Amino acid sequence: MNHVWGLLAHPGQEMRHIKQENETVSHHYTHHVLLMALIPVICAFIGTTQIGWDLGADRTIPLSLMDAFALAVLFYALILGGVAVMGRVIYWMARDYPQRPSLQRCTVFAGYVATPLFLSGLVALYPLVWLCVFVGALALVYTGYLL
């Protein structure tokens, strides 16, 4: 959680700080990924149960608490798994570099690079489809910049 503002305000400098820390995957997950992944999950849960998905044309589709809870658990598991898979993809892609980073370093990097995507989940408090897609696309572009 210490690096969230730095990744948004001065990403190059913050990435150098992260690299120097040599953080373990378990520490990274417990202090960053597990908490940050809750942002889109909780916001989507609140938005879909209290407001409902707004599909336009004055039609909203709210979810029941049980359905939203089941989807929230699934969403959370997919986010956590997605970070781990991206760490492995980065590790695989780095196979041709002379100083190949470790799988641990690649997984930590994937977790920090996903920070804009985690933060974009705030928009799910008001689940308007086009707004969620727009903010998600902006977050994806910034995530690409961090890569």
Side-chain angles (χ1 to χ4, degrees):
M1 293 293 290
N2 299 342
H3 300 288
V4 174
W5 174 250
L7 286 169
L8 298 176
H10 42 85
Q13 179 183 354
E14 201 64 34
M15 283 297 192
R16 284 190 294 278
H17 286 288
I18 291 168
K19 187 175 182 181
Q20 290 173 351
E21 288 179 359
N22 205 15
E23 192 173 15
T24 65
V25 173
S26 60
H27 181 269
H28 177 62
Y29 259 76
T30 57
H31 290 90
H32 185 78
V33 176
L34 291 174
L35 299 172
M36 293 297 290
L38 284 173
I39 294 172
V41 172
I42 291 171
C43 290
F45 179 83
I46 293 168
T48 57
T49 57
Q50 302 305 308
I51 297 170
W53 279 105
D54 188 345
L55 303 175
D58 296 326
R59 179 154 187 232
T60 59
I61 302 172
L63 296 179
S64 70
L65 286 175
M66 291 308 293
D67 288 341
F69 181 75
L71 288 173
V73 170
L74 178 64
F75 187 29
Y76 191 59
L78 287 172
I79 290 171
L80 297 179
V83 170
V85 167
M86 278 312 301
R88 288 207 172 267
V89 169
I90 292 168
Y91 179 71
W92 176 76
M93 291 177 69
R95 70 188 180 282
D96 293 332
Y97 286 100
Q99 294 195 355
R100 184 180 191 184
S102 67
L103 178 59
Q104 170 184 323
R105 186 166 285 224
C106 292
T107 303
V108 168
F109 179 70
Y112 281 121
V113 167
T115 298
L117 295 171
F118 296 147
L119 293 175
S120 72
L122 286 169
V123 76
L125 283 170
Y126 187 75
L128 184 60
V129 173
W130 70 265
L131 182 62
C132 290
V133 169
F134 179 70
V135 172
L138 289 177
L140 197 57
V141 167
Y142 194 75
T143 296
Y145 170 73
L146 289 178
L147 281 171

